[in-house]
Amino acid sequence: MTRLVNRDRSLEELEHDRWSAPSGGETRLMATVRELRRKPIGGLTVEDIRLLIRQDVGLVYLLPLAVEILRSDPLAEGDMYEGDLLAAVLTRSAESWTENPELGFVIKCHAHIRSDARVAAAS
C-alpha cells in the first residue's frame, strides 16, 4: 500500500539520512543530487524527480510521485526528451518496487496500454 507522505519534507528529512559534506572532488551531478535531497519533495520538478530516480535516490518516496505525474501526463518530460520521466521509472530494477509493488504493476500496465494504443493508431 502506498503511504501518505508529507510533501513539505525533504528526502533527507523523510529518510532520516543527512549526507555528510563532500571531501572534495564531488561531481556536478552529485552536487545537484545533494542539493535536491534537501528540497521539499512537493517542490521538486519533473526534471528533479527524473534525475533523482535515475540515480536511484529516494525511490520509496519519488516513485509514487512519478506515477502520479505519469497518470496525468504519460509523456511528462524533464530536460532530456518527451517521456524521459517514464523511461527513468521503467528502467528501475525490480527491487526498486518492493516497497510499492502495486505502483510497479500500475505503471507497467499503463505503459503497455499506451504502446498498444500507438500500434492500433499506426494500423
Side-chain angles (χ1 to χ4, degrees), residues 8-71:
D8 293 329
R9 298 183 73 197
S10 68
L11 288 173
E12 281 192 346
E13 293 169 320
L14 293 167
E15 295 177 340
H16 305 288
D17 182 21
R18 298 198 190 283
W19 290 3
S20 60
S23 59
E26 184 175 52
T27 66
R28 185 170 162 197
L29 173 61
M30 287 313 297
T32 301
V33 168
R34 180 180 303 281
E35 179 183 322
L36 292 175
R37 282 182 40 77
R38 294 184 182 123
K39 188 175 180 180
I41 64 170
L44 295 173
T45 66
V46 170
E47 173 59 15
D48 297 339
I49 294 169
R50 181 203 65 80
L51 186 143
L52 289 165
I53 287 174
R54 280 281 190 195
Q55 297 304 310
D56 291 321
V57 173
L59 295 180
V60 70
Y61 301 103
L62 298 179
L63 287 174
L65 289 179
V67 169
E68 183 179 307
I69 292 166
L70 293 168
R71 280 182 171 162

Side-chain angles (χ1 to χ4, degrees), residues 53 63 66-67 70 84-93 97 107:
I53 287 174
L63 287 174
V67 169
L70 293 168
D84 60 3
L85 180 60
L86 179 61
V89 168
L90 290 176
T91 56
R92 296 310 89 208
S93 69
W97 297 97
I107 199 68

